[in-house]
Amino acid sequence: MEFESILLPGMEPKRPIVIAGPCSAETEEQVMCTARQLADKGLKIFRAGIWKPRTKPGGFEGIGVEGLTWLKNVKKETGMYVSTEVATARHVYESLKAGIDILWIGARTTANPFAVQEIADALKGVDIPILIKNPVNPDLELWIGALERIYNAGLKRLGVIHRGFSSYDKKIYRNLPQWHIPIELHRRYPDLPIFCDPSHIGGKRELIAPLCQQAMDLNFEGLIVESHCDPDKAWSDASQQVTPDVLDYILNLLVIRKETQTTENLTELRKQIDECDNNLIEELAKRMRIAREIGTYKKEHDITVLQTGRYNEILEKRGARGEACGMDADFMKKVFEAIHEESVRQQIEIINAK
């Protein structure tokens, strides 16, 4: 896939491109008040949810078509571009009729190929930027599939939004960042603009600043941040919205590092990394040879492959050892879960061999 620029007339080609505005368009007064404050801070793209998919019925599901008129007024009065989320063909038609400049597809919609295809069909012949949020579950291929559906409809001005992934084990985040997934997406499509949605990743306004900085350190193209003139009174997601003043403060503190620079001074260090990686591979190969020997012993003595007590011991001790060496316990757990999975696979091959 080859992508075209998502920049609109008058937008400067520098990072970060910032899209900001309330989670939901609630009232015309709230929309206009927030937009004026953001415009005063120099922001160029306003966002507001017109239709809001909610987990359970009964919550505020958006003001609907009426809110599109408010976005038109934002554009007319402030000169900002306006954007909103679409989840159905009707949303697309209504948004295009209202002159919305940028559309995005939400995480729940991205997870449904039928819904994405419906939107793609409605967008045929249209030439506006479309942003696609990652699906709620950590499935890179599903994310790429949604991107391909929109691309195949003839749209080339595409970008994606990393908003984190749902998990029962959330810890400090509302949605786990799992940065390796957008990093892999960028590896495959280096020209695809990636935006970070720190509001939905963090779920708390105090996490927005560090998440924005991390996104910039990973060379993301832009940010889409929820900003409300009175966040504590927001009708949806109040805890993750910030005032325009706070957003301006966060943006002014961002360190935007060079996108391209000489790597000559890194050559020696990269050689050391290569050597470490080769040593790791050799040690893993040695470990797997031992695992196969254990598999042979288990086969000869009719012992089950999985020994839960031993597995728990490995995770606990290796995690503690890793922490003592300055590494994250969760990282060590993932590493040894993967190693154990491969060891079990190789032992099963031994036991099932005739």
Side-chain angles (χ1 to χ4, degrees), residues 12-304:
E12 297 181 13
K14 67 177 185 179
R15 300 167 51 240
I17 299 170
V18 181
I19 303 171
C23 172
S24 303
E26 301 163 358
T27 66
E28 184 172 11
E29 180 183 6
Q30 168 250 5
V31 167
M32 297 307 301
C33 177
T34 305
R36 291 184 189 112
Q37 292 182 39
L38 289 170
D40 286 344
K41 303 299 181 184
L43 296 180
K44 303 298 183 183
I45 310 174
F46 183 78
R47 58 142 290 156
I50 299 299
W51 301 277
K52 299 297 298 181
R54 313 308 296 176
T55 302
K56 294 181 179 180
F60 176 61
E61 296 185 337
I63 201 69
V65 175
E66 178 185 358
L68 293 173
T69 301
W70 306 342
L71 294 186
K72 289 172 66 176
N73 292 339
V74 167
K75 188 174 180 179
K76 181 178 179 180
E77 179 179 324
T78 68
M80 299 174 78
Y81 292 108
V82 291
S83 61
T84 197
E85 177 180 337
V86 292
T88 68
R90 175 177 169 269
H91 294 170
V92 172
Y93 296 139
E94 295 290 353
S95 296
L96 295 177
K97 187 168 63 175
I100 303 303
D101 301 292
I102 300 172
L103 302 178
W104 77 82
I105 298 173
R108 292 178 177 88
T109 307
T110 302
N112 184 342
F114 292 111
V116 175
Q117 189 60 54
E118 177 184 318
I119 292 171
D121 292 341
L123 286 168
K124 285 182 179 178
V126 175
D127 181 26
I128 65 171
I130 306 293
L131 306 177
I132 303 168
K133 285 195 173 186
N134 62 258
V136 291
N137 51 313
D139 187 336
L140 176 58
E141 299 307 322
L142 190 59
W143 198 1
I144 293 174
L147 185 67
E148 289 177 345
R149 288 178 186 276
I150 303 299
Y151 185 88
N152 291 341
L155 290 98
K156 305 294 177 65
R157 299 166 69 189
L158 302 180
V160 295
I161 300 172
H162 173 227
R163 49 79 78 189
F165 302 91
S166 297
S167 170
Y168 289 112
D169 185 25
K170 291 183 174 61
K171 295 191 175 178
I172 67 170
Y173 298 111
R174 177 180 177 183
N175 295 293
L176 298 180
Q178 300 204 40
W179 296 103
H180 65 283
I181 294 178
I183 287 172
E184 172 60 17
L185 181 63
H186 180 66
R187 186 189 70 79
R188 296 194 199 183
Y189 303 102
D191 296 328
L192 177 68
I194 301 181
F195 286 71
C196 178
D197 179 350
S199 306
H200 279 91
I201 293 176
K204 304 182 188 71
R205 56 180 66 106
E206 61 266 25
L207 294 175
I208 290 177
L211 286 167
C212 286
Q213 185 60 62
Q214 189 159 2
M216 291 299 97
D217 291 343
L218 292 173
N219 204 26
F220 279 29
E221 190 75 18
L223 304 165
I224 178 167
V225 187
E226 292 186 347
S227 180
H228 191 294
C229 58
D230 192 355
D232 290 331
K233 294 182 180 178
W235 295 4
S236 59
D237 289 345
S239 62
Q240 66 188 41
Q241 301 192 62
V242 294
T243 64
D245 282 341
V246 170
L247 176 59
D248 184 57
Y249 179 75
I250 291 171
L251 296 176
N252 284 330
L253 287 180
L254 285 179
V255 177
I256 310 300
R257 308 183 198 285
K258 295 179 182 178
E259 295 184 57
T260 57
Q261 55 184 326
T262 178
T263 59
E264 292 178 5
N265 295 334
L266 296 177
T267 301
E268 185 57 39
L269 291 174
R270 285 174 172 169
K271 285 181 180 178
Q272 294 179 39
I273 287 288
D274 291 343
E275 183 179 350
C276 288
D277 287 347
N278 289 333
N279 290 338
L280 281 172
I281 292 170
E282 290 175 6
E283 288 300 317
L284 284 173
K286 178 180 177 182
R287 192 187 196 281
M288 294 307 159
R289 286 196 294 271
I290 297 171
R292 289 195 294 273
E293 290 180 20
I294 292 173
T296 300
Y297 182 89
K298 288 177 179 178
K299 180 177 182 178
E300 292 173 350
H301 294 80
D302 201 24
I303 299 173
T304 60

